[in-house]
Amino acid sequence: MSASSRPVPGGAAPGPGTGAAVIGLDLGGTKIAAALFAADGTVLARHTRPTPAGDGAPAVLDALAGAAAAVDPGRLATALGIAAAGVVDPRTGLVTSATDTIRGWAGTALGSGLADRTGYPVACDNDVRATAGPELAALTAPGTDHAPSEPEPPHGTAPTGHDPAGHGSSGARRTASGARRAGGGSLLFVAVGTGVGGAIAVDGRMLHGASGIAGHLGHLPSPAAAGLPCTCGATGHLEVIASGPGIAAHYERLTGAPVDRLETVAARAARGDDHAVRAITVGAAATGRALGGLANALGPDRVVVGGGVPRIGPLYGDALTAAFVPELMPPLRGLRPEPPRFGADAAVRGAAALTTTLPLHRPGADR
């Protein structure tokens, strides 16, 4: 069995105990990825297709429904979970805010629209929160570095908050200092790519907040971005200086020379270009300081830094960690940012697991 198709530790398999297959969809600005999962988390089928982002929301919903049909022609699945770009409120099923990467995406009835097109009950969430779901499950998985070695069940009562998809669990946890505490794990997850997204889980529960906006870490204020306009309409947000395009734009401001993409800046930094080094390290340090402050506020067991930008090399990661550590209060001094545990399947696997933890929007339901 390949690494991508074996069941995932920590109960992250979609729908365990139900005996049913589940579909996971990951909607990005350029690509739709689909996977059909067995009840034990084994991948039964995969499918990808381009996102018709310029054709508008109805065309994107049609493409998502087509991907679901392609990955499950035998109608084995009993539910569908989707991880989507934008601010998604899983309770209402609406995309409450979005950039223009997908034309007309803001305001889309994602849950009901996809349910009506596919005939499946649909759970939906933001793509970064869904991707973080397996990371949260791994915090309490037996045999993982962050799992409790000897869980302590509640006294006199059955465990509560059990989540078969792995988004939360009961039992004792160890803090960053090694002390035991009750409750599920806490996670701070950031994805740094063309934007800066995030997910926050506290005591085993993923936070969604009003309108599904919790976790949008790229819109924290950052001194390094002071005065710079953000895509959300405000100024001075972290995303402007820390995202891939933000780092490239900072290099252009430093040199006056246009640059096509982040990888070009990274290549110049590797050749000793001081301006390229500065653009990368300023963005990384801004992210590290923001995460350090959030760690003090939230007390996570694990901080995960994913996305495409960290993959440019150690220059970025070293600068982020060097800025992160001095911000920490004494009980968290052992905490360090870590890369994601899971690879390309994380988003579709997390999407499928949403069907066990979030409201299901059913076909033909009264709206």
Side-chain angles (χ1 to χ4, degrees), residues 27-31 50-57 59-60 63 100-105:
L27 171 64
T30 60
K31 184 183 75 170
T51 301
D55 296 338
V60 172
D100 58 2
T101 301
I102 298 176
R103 185 170 65 84
W105 193 233

Side-chain angles (χ1 to χ4, degrees), residues 131-140 144-147 173-177 181 184-190 199-202 291 294-295 298-306 324 332 334-342:
T131 302
E135 298 286 343
L136 178 58
L139 279 176
T140 51
T144 60
D145 292 342
H146 294 267
R173 294 283 304 118
R174 291 189 183 277
T175 67
S177 64
R181 66 173 174 81
S186 295
L187 174 73
L188 179 56
F189 184 103
V190 64
I200 298 168
V202 177
L291 291 175
L294 285 169
L298 300 168
D301 298 289
R302 190 162 184 253
V303 175
V304 177
V305 180
F324 173 84
L332 296 178
L335 192 64
R336 295 293 183 273
E338 302 176 39
R341 292 177 182 270
F342 301 95

